[in-house]
Amino acid sequence: MRGFRIAWLQAWAGIRKRGPRNALILIGVAFGVGFVACARIEYLTFLDRGLVGEESERLHWFSLVALAMTVIGVGNAMAISVAERIREIGTLKCLGASDRLVAGIYFLESLVLGIVGSAIGSSL
């Protein structure tokens, strides 16, 4: 439990420190999830009307592309975050942090960004 608390505090510090970039990530995730939600609602409307066909197939592909772009965007942002913080990772490892703790920091950071962005996108 102590390791999770340390990982959470480090992840939260990373989120606050990189505010403008994380705001852009949140906007991207919100738009992606919002688009997928709208496409799903439209698809259900087509199903209710019995209009399953080319238009509904197009909605499936659009929502799949939007979801893939959202995942790639978050993954790219986390890769950049890891590349920027090589010294911090080295310091943590020298102080005795396990690989699991270091990976947990970045996992929690991306999880928080994804959940908050998804909530914003779903509510919009």
Side-chain angles (χ1 to χ4, degrees):
M1 189 66 177
R2 181 171 175 243
F4 177 78
R5 184 171 187 277
I6 293 170
W8 173 254
L9 292 174
Q10 287 289 325
W12 188 246
I15 290 171
R16 283 184 302 167
K17 186 176 181 182
R18 290 156 189 81
R21 182 184 334 133
N22 289 334
L24 287 175
I25 294 168
L26 286 176
I27 290 169
V29 170
F31 279 133
V33 170
F35 183 80
V36 170
C38 288
R40 292 286 110 194
I41 290 170
E42 192 68 27
Y43 177 72
L44 292 176
T45 304
F46 283 154
L47 283 181
D48 286 343
R49 294 182 192 161
L51 301 173
V52 179
E54 185 178 319
E55 192 70 27
S56 63
E57 282 295 318
R58 208 173 302 146
L59 283 174
H60 274 300
W61 284 108
F62 282 150
S63 62
L64 186 66
V65 167
L67 197 60
M69 288 177 62
T70 302
V71 169
I72 289 170
V74 171
N76 183 32
M78 288 298 106
I80 291 170
S81 181
V82 169
E84 284 180 345
R85 294 166 33 181
I86 290 176
R87 288 184 180 163
E88 182 180 326
I89 293 170
T91 304
L92 286 171
K93 295 293 287 177
C94 286
L95 292 173
S98 65
D99 291 340
R100 186 176 179 179
L101 177 67
V102 174
I105 291 169
Y106 294 102
F107 176 74
L108 285 172
E109 190 173 328
S110 63
L111 185 71
V112 168
L113 292 174
I115 288 173
V116 172
S118 297
I120 291 170
S122 297
S123 65
L124 292 178

